[in-house]
Amino acid sequence: MTHYSRLAGTGGYLPGPPVTNDDLVARGINTSDDWIVTRTGIRARHLAAPGQTSCQMATEAALQALDMAGIAAADLDLIIVATSTPDYIFPSTACLLQGALGNRGATAFDVQAVCSGFVYALSIADKFIRSGTHQKALVVGAETFSRILDWQDRGTCVLFGDGAGAVVLEAAEESGILASALHADGSLVKILSVPGQIAHGQVTGDPFLRMEGQAVFKTAVRVLTEVARECCAAANLAPADLDWLIPHQANIRIIEATGKRMGLVSDKVVVTVDRHGNTSAASVPLALNEAVRDGRIRRGQRVLLEGVGGGFTWGALLFEF
Ligand code: ACO
């Protein structure tokens, strides 16, 4: 029997009050609201409180998504967390989340694809459900990037924020997720990385996020356009058939360039980067949750999600809500 997966619920969590660009200046960072807004479109971000973890934020987002879906945590049979900022080296954040939710027995694991992580994880969950082995999946993107930023590096520290977003997927007889496409190019490792590790009780290498901004910018616009077209073609749809585009929220100029290349008017593109900054794997599910909960995305509409990030990784997923 053919199984499809459909989105049954969404959730999102942002820690604390917004931290504006002027707040960063007041904290001693040598930048300005004008520079950040002009180059990136970012006006504010949320930052986790000391001790607040990716799993804690994931739990808040997951509970909202489960509530909307009307599904009990105990009934989940698959839990996937996309994160590059896990609470522990091990166990996975997915297992920590499973424990926090009180679920026992579900398949649980993390996906590490940086800012593409949520699109990777949702596509993986869809494949589990389509295979017929699993029926109820929780997919979360959760990040505390503020902990891996070099706050002395104004070229990166102003760009990111913390948060978590979640989706509950369930098996259905009608189509929900229509197509997905995932890619990576390991020759581009160096343009965006945290090139450190823990060994023998010490951090070795560099534990902070390093980025070649212009190389990331150019690569992101190219691959996001390519993968959007690939995903639409796999679903036998044209970009004009989309009701909504939800791209990774890194930079308004990348978002606008991608929308323009796809021929989409800007009011079909969901934007949160102005208020969230770049929350890596949390950015797409946070934007999705916002547009579902404020009534923009309605049942029956077609939505394209897109991720791009370190690896270099990129991917897209097209669903009918
Ligand atoms: N405030 C003020 N000035 C700054 C800041 C800052 N926060 N950061 C850098 N500058 C200065 C630089 O020192 C430099 O000054 P100089 O000319 O005197 O040397 C000048 O601004 C230009 O710096 P560039 O790095 O060349 O600026 P650029 O126009 O490339 O913009 C940016 C940088 C915004 C990072 C851009 O390259 C970009 O958006 N790249 C995309 C990367 C991205 O979005 N990454 C997010 C993560 S990746 C992902 O999620 C896929």
Side-chain angles (χ1 to χ4, degrees):
M1 185 163 76
T2 306
H3 297 264
Y4 295 101
S5 59
R6 61 178 281 278
L7 277 78
T10 65
Y13 177 82
L14 291 162
V19 177
T20 66
N21 296 336
D22 285 336
D23 292 335
L24 296 184
V25 174
R27 292 179 188 194
I29 296 167
N30 181 16
T31 188
S32 67
D33 179 60
D34 181 57
W35 192 96
I36 300 171
V37 171
T38 307
R39 305 276 175 137
T40 72
I42 298 168
R43 295 178 185 276
R45 73 287 292 144
H46 293 253
L47 301 175
Q52 189 173 25
T53 68
S54 293
C55 181
Q56 288 167 7
M57 295 192 293
T59 305
E60 298 293 332
L63 288 171
Q64 285 182 16
L66 287 164
D67 184 57
M68 187 190 283
I71 289 174
D75 294 334
L76 293 168
D77 53 17
L78 176 63
I79 299 171
I80 309 179
V81 176
T83 186
S84 301
T85 46
D87 292 24
Y88 296 168
I89 289 179
F90 75 80
S92 69
T93 306
C95 285
L96 300 179
L97 175 61
Q98 181 179 32
L101 293 174
N103 173 284
R104 299 177 82 176
T107 308
F109 59 92
D110 285 0
V111 165
Q112 158 59 294
V114 201
C115 306
S116 312
F118 181 79
V119 173
Y120 263 65
L122 201 59
S123 173
I124 293 165
D126 174 55
K127 291 176 199 305
F128 268 75
I129 289 176
R130 277 180 193 243
S131 77
T133 60
H134 292 66
Q135 275 76 46
K136 292 178 172 39
L138 171 65
V139 183
V140 184
E143 303 279 18
T144 42
F145 258 50
S146 59
R147 307 250 162 81
I148 54 169
L149 297 175
D150 177 355
W151 287 94
Q152 308 303 315
D153 176 9
R154 66 178 182 169
T156 55
C157 71
V158 302
L159 304 175
F160 295 89
D162 301 329
V167 161
V168 170
L169 277 187
E170 72 182 335
E173 292 306 313
E174 319 87 59
S175 58
I177 294 181
L178 303 174
S180 62
L182 306 175
H183 296 286
D185 180 352
S187 73
L188 298 174
V189 163
K190 288 206 169 116
I191 65 172
L192 183 54
S193 63
V194 181
Q197 58 173 287
I198 293 173
H200 312 295
Q202 305 218 311
V203 174
T204 61
D206 184 347
F208 293 122
L209 182 149
R210 302 298 176 200
M211 180 177 74
E212 293 173 26
Q214 286 175 16
V216 168
F217 191 102
K218 283 184 199 143
T219 310
V221 173
R222 177 175 58 81
V223 297
L224 284 172
T225 308
E226 284 172 6
V227 81
R229 292 189 184 288
E230 178 188 351
C231 196
C232 287
N236 286 318
L237 293 169
D241 297 322
L242 298 174
D243 293 295
W244 296 102
L245 173 67
I246 305 185
H248 174 49
Q249 306 285 319
N251 183 315
I252 193 67
R253 293 188 298 145
I254 296 176
I255 293 170
E256 285 174 352
T258 308
K260 202 168 157 192
R261 284 184 180 206
M262 288 175 62
L264 292 176
V265 292
S266 61
D267 58 7
K268 283 187 162 189
V269 183
V270 178
V271 174
T272 56
V273 69
D274 52 331
R275 289 159 292 122
H276 299 181
N278 180 351
T279 58
S280 190
S283 94
V284 168
L286 275 167
L288 170 63
N289 179 56
E290 184 174 287
V292 166
R293 286 186 184 261
D294 69 17
R296 271 179 288 172
I297 296 179
R298 297 190 303 275
R299 287 281 170 201
Q301 290 190 323
R302 295 190 191 109
V303 184
L304 184 73
L305 309 180
E306 286 194 288
V308 60
F312 215 69
T313 56
W314 63 99
L317 182 143
L318 179 52
F319 68 91
E320 198 168 284
F321 187 53

